[in-house]
Amino acid sequence: MRILLTGSAGFIGTAIGRTTLADGGHDLVRVDVMLPAAHRIARPPADTHVLDVRDAASTSAWRDVLQGVDVVCHQAAVVGAGVTTADLPLYAGHNDLGTAALLAAASEAGVRRLVLASSMVVYGEGAYTCPAHGPVTPAPRSVEALTAGHFEVLCPLCGEALASDLVDESAPLAPRNAYAASKVAQEHYAAAWARQSGSSVIALRYHNVYGPGMPRDTPYSGVAAMFRSSLERGQAPRVFEDGAQRRDFVHVADVARANAMAVAAVAEAAPGSFVAYNVASGQPVTVADVAAMVAEGARQPIAPVITGEFRLGDVRHVVASPVRAAEELGFRAAVDPRAGLRQFATASLRE
């Protein structure tokens, strides 16, 4: 099978490339624009086509790399929450326009299969239940509540604190920041492309990805990498809010396996289909626990500092249901985050 891998030089793209090659029998076409925010070393890896997805529908170089491709595995994106509203054009350009241009070029080249890197951020706040009113959809947390240190999500009907539930793929999409909005748009473009062209799409909604090769101290760094960098400087990791916010941390090796499974599955999928899967460990942890586990793995007896600070675009709890991915894709995470995060403390990172 000939697979076009965008974002191939990135953290996740590199891991997918290794897994794809290890599986054998595939011809991998690597594409990456080598954005400085993601790559401090501008020299691309060997066999990488340095191309911008935003140009995919208009340049002959893209037509050449798409020839004979069976499946596009689309990882290229600008990530992070988006710090200010000035970041909106950046996300819309690379993620939304880039995906639309790639899909148009794929149609022109006769490519009918796509695996899309999506994210758990498309859900906004996770799933919640009120003891009195059952499942409810909360409003975004207010600046006033966050400033006062009231971090839990409240029932819109009675004002009581809600209990978080597992989020499955049928949950409504409710993006809360620029990056999340761009990932929702990518999914919608891909679904429309599938219907209009008779193509097939599998979208993988990654939860918090970590592992060897993660970038160090860039806008692309995850919270686990930032905690580790603090410890290496002899500083306490700084944890926002009260540290009790729950997340699902999934190892990059598991994410790469999920992509390999999705590539195989989408090749057999029905024309016009779009299916999303959570890619998660299924074992949620609190952010304060992440800081503590990284410190333990680094053998640094430095307790995290719970700052009470907040970012307005952050959500409180997002905990995934791994059931659909297990039943339909055959994906189950192999790395327990409680072991993986401790090992991550001394793993090699991307400078």
Side-chain angles (χ1 to χ4, degrees), residues 93-111:
H94 283 279
N95 298 0
D96 303 345
L97 174 61
T99 298
L102 178 60
L103 294 173
S107 287
E108 183 69 21
V111 181

Side-chain angles (χ1 to χ4, degrees), residues 40-327:
R40 290 183 178 176
I41 300 173
R43 181 177 299 175
D47 302 323
T48 300
H49 300 270
V50 181
L51 297 171
D52 192 323
V53 288
R54 294 173 294 182
D55 301 328
S58 60
T59 63
S60 59
W62 271 102
R63 287 192 289 273
D64 291 343
V65 300
L66 281 163
Q67 288 303 312
V69 165
D70 298 297
V71 179
V72 173
C73 186
H74 184 33
Q75 306 297 312
V78 173
V79 304
V83 178
T84 71
T85 54
D87 293 326
L88 287 168
L90 180 71
Y91 287 96
H94 283 279
N95 298 0
D96 303 345
L97 174 61
T99 298
L102 178 60
L103 294 173
S107 287
E108 183 69 21
V111 181
R112 295 289 182 266
R113 301 288 185 267
L114 173 73
V115 174
L116 174 67
S118 188
S119 171
M120 57 88 175
V121 297
V122 300
Y123 298 121
E125 287 287 355
Y128 293 90
T129 299
C130 173
H133 299 100
V136 295
T137 301
R141 296 178 295 169
S142 69
V143 175
E144 293 76 17
L146 293 168
T147 301
H150 302 313
F151 301 120
E152 289 297 345
V153 179
L154 303 181
C155 176
L157 301 175
C158 67
E160 294 299 315
L162 299 174
S164 66
D165 289 334
L166 298 181
V167 182
D168 66 26
E169 294 84 351
S170 66
L173 307 186
R176 298 289 169 89
N177 57 52
Y179 173 59
S182 74
K183 299 311 284 186
V184 170
Q186 283 185 307
E187 287 199 14
H188 287 170
Y189 277 121
W193 174 75
R195 289 192 299 271
Q196 290 180 277
S197 64
S199 301
S200 303
V201 176
I202 290 178
L204 300 178
R205 293 173 178 166
Y206 305 155
H207 286 248
N208 296 76
V209 186
Y210 72 97
M214 198 171 193
R216 181 196 299 272
D217 299 336
T218 77
Y220 283 56
S221 299
V223 66
M226 289 187 277
F227 289 161
R228 172 177 158 159
S229 293
S230 295
L231 290 164
E232 289 173 348
R233 294 191 298 267
Q235 300 171 350
R238 294 177 60 82
V239 178
F240 281 7
E241 301 188 15
D242 59 359
Q245 56 271 46
R246 298 168 72 230
R247 297 289 187 270
D248 190 304
F249 281 76
V250 59
H251 196 278
V252 69
D254 283 325
V255 173
R257 281 197 310 109
N259 273 272
M261 292 174 174
V263 165
V266 80
E268 304 299 326
S273 61
F274 175 96
V275 184
Y277 295 103
N278 288 329
V279 176
S281 72
Q283 301 182 60
V285 294
T286 70
V287 174
D289 284 342
V290 172
M293 285 185 280
V294 173
E296 183 179 338
R299 298 185 178 180
Q300 291 272 19
I302 303 176
V305 173
I306 308 300
T307 67
E309 298 171 0
F310 63 89
R311 297 183 301 182
L312 194 57
D314 285 350
V315 298
R316 182 60 174 171
H317 305 297
V318 182
V319 180
S321 169
V323 172
R324 179 190 285 182
E327 292 181 347

